[in-house]
Amino acid sequence: MSPSPGEEKLLERALELAERGRGQTRPNPIVGALVVKDGAVVGEGWHERAGGAHAEVVALEQAGERARGATLIVTLEPCCFTGLTGPCCERIIEDGIARLVVAAEDPNPKVSGRGLARLREAGLVVELAEGEIAYKARRQNEAWRTWIATGRPFVTYKVAATLDGRVTLPDSRWLSGEASRRLVHELRASSDAVAVGMGTVLADSPRLDARDVAARRQPRRLAFGKGPLPKESELELRSGPIAEELAALAREGVQSLLLEGGPTLATAFVEADLVDKLLVFVTPHLAGTGPKLFGELTHPLRLSRVSTEPIGEDVLISAYIHEP
């Protein structure tokens, strides 16, 4: 039995609540929850900070005695283990929740499904969302999901390209427009790390910081490849095999990596199956010559969730290689 249309709307509300914790919960995901009884919301909450109460507990505390016999709607599978806080599953059972509607399972292979199984064992009716609302819930925590499930950061390759697929334009410093460039700085501000290859370092001396946008912190700024870096560069050199470097970054808490390098680095990442998402800013130019988006790939790739959005004079194409 799947969630009803009304419950899907409530899941949308829970997703909105979860966003209030964006940037505050690291290394945890963002989560929202609602307690619903007799068609009315009697409690709601979100995970505000790491070490603080989880969304389910906040919503249950607001609901109080009204939680008994109610439905709990939550964006992520409740935890069934003790970490910085106690297990949410036990609190849900103690407070007498009768039914649980969950947007997405926990992707951690060590605990995935255990929370749902524990609640079913305790007699709760448990429903797991499907389709678009489930995708929205997974996308909301896409970086965390990849980090916790695979032990590497979620990698987004961002690139600007002309209509004929070239990544440079003769006699022009900028390929994309001002609106696209501002969006790139917002992407940097929301990423844990930003990276280029040594070719880009030597050609452009990039700073890779987030400028003229609201940023809680600056991303780590990386260069992949063999050194040495130019003396004036402030980037951090990562010269080992890509997969090993990504695993090391993950251990250091890097959940998301924005890749801004040229086609050589992008091709290496794609060939190693280490790119999850593509962001291509298509600009209103025909270059006629110059390097392409990627070098030669050994096999074709099918993309999913392809979407387009106008950004000033440009068009942003978003697509996944690996959906969250």
Side-chain angles (χ1 to χ4, degrees):
M1 184 175 179
S2 300
S4 68
E7 287 170 338
E8 288 204 359
K9 289 183 179 179
L10 291 170
L11 279 170
E12 292 277 7
R13 170 61 178 166
L15 291 171
E16 292 173 5
L17 289 170
E19 283 298 330
R20 298 183 184 183
R22 177 75 65 185
Q24 307 297 325
T25 64
R26 293 180 58 82
N28 297 342
I30 58 174
V31 183
L34 302 170
V35 178
V36 181
K37 191 166 189 179
D38 299 326
V41 175
V42 297
E44 62 179 28
W46 64 94
H47 185 36
E48 296 183 11
R49 59 180 177 82
H54 287 188
E56 302 95 313
V57 173
V58 176
L60 288 168
E61 288 181 348
Q62 190 178 109
E65 284 300 315
R66 294 172 295 180
R68 194 156 300 279
T71 294
L72 177 64
I73 293 177
V74 63
T75 59
L76 183 67
E77 177 182 354
C79 63
C80 60
F81 55 88
T82 299
L84 295 176
T85 62
C88 289
C89 284
E90 300 309 313
R91 176 63 184 270
I92 292 167
I93 295 167
E94 290 170 8
D95 282 21
I97 288 292
R99 187 164 180 267
L100 181 75
V101 177
V102 180
E105 286 186 286
D106 191 319
N108 187 338
K110 296 180 181 178
V111 300
S112 181
R114 285 174 52 186
L116 303 184
R118 171 71 183 105
L119 294 169
R120 287 189 176 109
E121 289 170 2
L124 278 77
V125 176
V126 177
E127 309 291 351
L128 186 61
E130 300 176 346
E132 193 65 19
I133 192 68
Y135 163 68
K136 287 181 180 179
R138 296 192 303 270
R139 183 182 62 189
Q140 186 174 62
N141 282 304
E142 60 187 10
W144 174 80
R145 293 182 71 85
T146 296
W147 177 74
I148 202 72
T150 69
R152 66 165 178 83
F154 181 86
V155 178
T156 300
Y157 176 47
K158 183 280 303 178
V159 63
T162 61
L163 280 170
D164 55 345
R166 309 289 180 167
V167 295
T168 61
L169 193 62
D171 302 320
S172 178
R173 179 185 179 189
W174 301 114
L175 193 57
S176 57
E178 183 177 345
S180 294
R181 297 198 298 274
R182 178 177 177 80
L183 179 55
V184 168
H185 284 279
E186 293 175 358
L187 290 168
R188 290 177 181 176
S190 64
S191 300
D192 295 331
V194 184
V196 294
M198 284 300 296
T200 301
V201 171
L202 298 175
D204 299 333
S205 299
R207 291 166 54 182
L208 302 186
D209 55 346
R211 301 187 295 277
D212 302 321
V213 295
R216 293 186 180 93
R217 56 183 171 77
Q218 288 293 330
R220 287 177 64 173
R221 298 171 294 156
L222 315 175
F224 283 93
K226 303 299 181 183
L229 288 168
K231 290 183 179 180
E232 67 276 9
S233 176
E234 297 181 355
L235 306 185
E236 174 187 338
L237 183 64
R238 311 293 299 206
S239 56
I242 294 173
E244 293 180 13
E245 293 290 358
L246 291 185
L249 288 168
R251 290 192 295 271
E252 295 163 9
V254 174
Q255 295 185 12
S256 57
L257 173 67
L258 182 64
L259 193 64
E260 294 194 27
T264 300
L265 185 64
T267 301
F269 266 75
V270 168
E271 285 288 272
D273 199 25
L274 294 173
V275 174
D276 300 291
K277 188 176 185 178
L278 299 177
L279 295 176
V280 182
F281 292 86
V282 180
T283 73
H285 302 96
L286 294 173
T289 187
K292 298 180 179 180
L293 282 167
F294 295 100
E296 294 293 326
L297 300 177
T298 56
H299 59 282
L301 293 172
R302 182 173 178 81
L303 307 179
S304 63
R305 298 284 179 177
V306 179
S307 64
T308 61
E309 177 186 1
I311 307 292
E313 296 181 341
D314 306 326
V315 174
L316 174 59
I317 300 176
S318 303
Y320 286 97
I321 295 177
H322 302 296
E323 280 191 42

